[in-house]
Amino acid sequence: MAHYKCNCTFVPPRVLENLARVGVGSARLSIQQSNISRKKRAAKEIDMKAFIGAKTKAKAKRKVYDCKNTWEQRVKLARAEGKPATGDEDVDLVYKYAGNVRDYFSKVLKRNSIDNKGMDLILNVHFGQDYMNAFWDGDEMTFGDGDGEIFISFTKSLEVVAHELAHGVTQFTADLEYFSQSGALNEHFSDVFGSAITQHVLKQDAGQADWLVGDEIMGPDLYGESLRSMQAPGTAYDNNLLGKDPQPAHMNDYYAGSDDNQGVHINSGIPNRAFYLVATEIGTDKATLIWYHALQKLWSTAKFNDAVDVIVNSARLLTQKKQVPVGSTQQVRAAFRDVGLPHLT
Ligand SMILES: [Zn+2]
């Protein structure tokens, strides 16, 4: 079976397709550029062996590149680790947010950057023209400026940066195939870390958080909408530009079609809702510890039922180590049951 690599764009293809359908030209261009980037990703085939042999460094360094509104990555180094602010808001924001993510991995998860060996964080900003997306393509992150009307710059959201860098962590751990249920789990873990890191930095608890994904990058035409809701999947948006949020919140509404790599950004709503339920019971950081433990035990073709088994087991082991509260195992089991998991066929 072919291995479906994650060319993990933040905005799901279906959303951009809906925008192109109603005549938004920059959405059409963004789809084309994402396809080019996907081909580049396939051609580049990140050599995991090189990473395996890599020496461990004490701390990841950030390198922010300005693409100068071309469709090329790493055009000009704009800010290296430890250098002062540049005055370019996108460069400086992405530098700060990548630092937030690196520090969360290190302090909360005890993980040394994306590969756990101190891998540098390469960030590209001002990619393309009016480019409506951000993506992780195997060894670096890239951000578009948006068109300023529907989407603003993708650097404006810590959650976008955390979501995309988390795809890197998944690549170096479970390496979940970006297709069907394993792909939906890949998306799910990125939403979990994106939300957890945002809450941690904002010092919010699960009850204060908005649990929305992508709300910070909505431009004036769509202000108040978002791309996903982990609390209430299916309610994130409903308008004539984006269409209607297709995410199910329960296995009863599972999407079995072929769009979106068989629903990687769609069915992720089901485990997302389960995570939300657990976080509201034991706190987001504790829930994230369980999920992160499980991510290191999962495998590339894991399905939803596998994830339930592994996450429940991680809850049990971390309860035994007194890293999460007594009762966490039962909370995890109950949350998955609430969304129809494990699913009996
Ligand atoms: Zn993603």
Side-chain angles (χ1 to χ4, degrees):
M1 184 181 175
H3 194 100
Y4 291 87
K5 289 287 181 191
C6 155
N7 186 85
C8 309
T9 56
F10 188 76
V11 178
R14 172 187 287 236
V15 169
L16 290 176
E17 283 158 20
N18 284 336
L19 287 168
R21 201 168 288 130
V22 294
V24 177
S26 36
R28 199 171 52 85
L29 198 62
S30 297
I31 293 169
Q32 287 165 352
Q33 283 302 330
S34 296
N35 287 337
I36 291 168
S37 147
R38 193 166 296 126
K39 282 182 198 137
K40 176 204 123 179
R41 170 84 169 91
K44 200 160 77 171
E45 266 311 335
I46 305 306
D47 181 6
M48 295 299 280
K49 282 197 233 68
F51 287 114
I52 290 161
K55 278 219 179 84
T56 300
K57 293 188 293 174
K59 197 173 184 186
K61 293 190 174 77
R62 291 164 285 182
K63 287 183 185 141
V64 184
Y65 288 86
D66 186 345
C67 301
K68 303 261 178 199
N69 292 114
T70 69
W71 300 100
E72 301 290 328
Q73 294 165 313
R74 306 193 199 194
V75 172
K76 182 174 183 289
L77 183 61
R79 189 170 178 191
E81 185 69 38
K83 299 289 182 206
T86 62
D88 179 318
E89 196 187 338
D90 295 306
V91 170
D92 294 332
L93 267 180
V94 105
Y95 179 89
K96 180 175 87 172
Y97 289 155
N100 291 146
V101 175
R102 178 189 63 191
D103 294 347
Y104 181 93
F105 287 163
S106 152
K107 286 185 191 131
V108 182
L109 305 180
K110 313 288 178 224
R111 182 178 187 84
N112 184 3
S113 188
I114 289 172
D115 62 347
N116 207 16
K117 288 184 171 183
M119 177 183 178
D120 287 341
L121 304 177
I122 310 294
L123 306 131
N124 297 276
V125 303
H126 301 308
F127 178 73
Q129 287 180 9
D130 296 336
Y131 181 60
M132 294 181 164
N133 230 328
F135 58 87
W136 165 263
D137 63 1
D139 59 355
E140 60 192 314
M141 274 209 59
T142 302
F143 302 83
D145 291 336
D147 66 338
E149 290 164 17
I150 293 164
F151 294 112
I152 57 170
S153 170
F154 285 74
T155 61
K156 302 284 192 253
S157 167
L158 167 60
E159 197 156 331
V160 173
V161 179
H163 176 106
E164 293 302 326
L165 289 174
H167 278 308
V169 173
T170 297
Q171 178 184 322
F172 283 94
T173 51
D175 197 21
L176 290 155
E177 287 193 351
Y178 206 61
F179 180 77
S180 193
Q181 287 195 9
S182 55
L185 288 169
N186 195 322
E187 268 308 311
H188 161 64
F189 278 100
S190 271
D191 279 350
V192 162
F193 292 118
S195 188
I197 292 168
T198 304
Q199 291 177 37
H200 189 85
V201 170
L202 296 178
K203 298 189 166 47
Q204 291 178 329
D205 65 28
Q208 294 166 314
D210 58 29
W211 291 99
L212 298 173
V213 178
D215 53 311
E216 301 98 339
I217 48 153
M218 292 291 169
D221 288 358
L222 284 174
Y223 196 81
E225 295 284 45
S226 67
L227 291 174
R228 289 186 284 285
S229 165
M230 297 179 75
Q231 178 176 7
T235 66
Y237 59 88
D238 187 356
N239 58 62
N240 56 8
L241 283 169
L242 302 182
K244 188 177 170 302
D245 177 7
Q247 280 207 318
H250 191 282
M251 284 303 286
N252 287 345
D253 302 311
Y254 184 83
Y255 172 76
S258 60
D259 282 1
D260 184 29
N261 279 12
Q262 292 193 359
V264 298
H265 296 91
I266 302 174
N267 290 321
S268 55
I270 297 165
N272 276 358
R273 164 88 184 152
F275 178 82
Y276 159 80
L277 291 171
V278 174
T280 54
E281 294 294 338
I282 66 171
T284 303
D285 279 347
K286 298 292 181 200
T288 308
L289 276 182
I290 296 172
W291 258 249
Y292 174 61
H293 187 275
L295 183 63
Q296 297 168 91
K297 306 286 173 197
L298 280 165
W299 54 96
S300 57
T301 55
K303 296 186 168 57
F304 282 4
N305 285 358
D306 301 319
V308 175
D309 280 349
V310 172
I311 294 169
V312 168
N313 202 42
S314 289
R316 201 177 57 70
L317 291 171
L318 294 182
T319 305
Q320 189 184 18
K321 289 185 183 170
K322 301 194 189 322
Q323 291 182 25
V324 298
V326 172
S328 295
T329 313
Q330 290 70 25
Q331 296 290 358
V332 170
R333 196 175 280 131
F336 277 116
R337 212 168 274 168
D338 276 1
V339 300
L341 287 169
H343 183 64
L344 308 171
T345 45

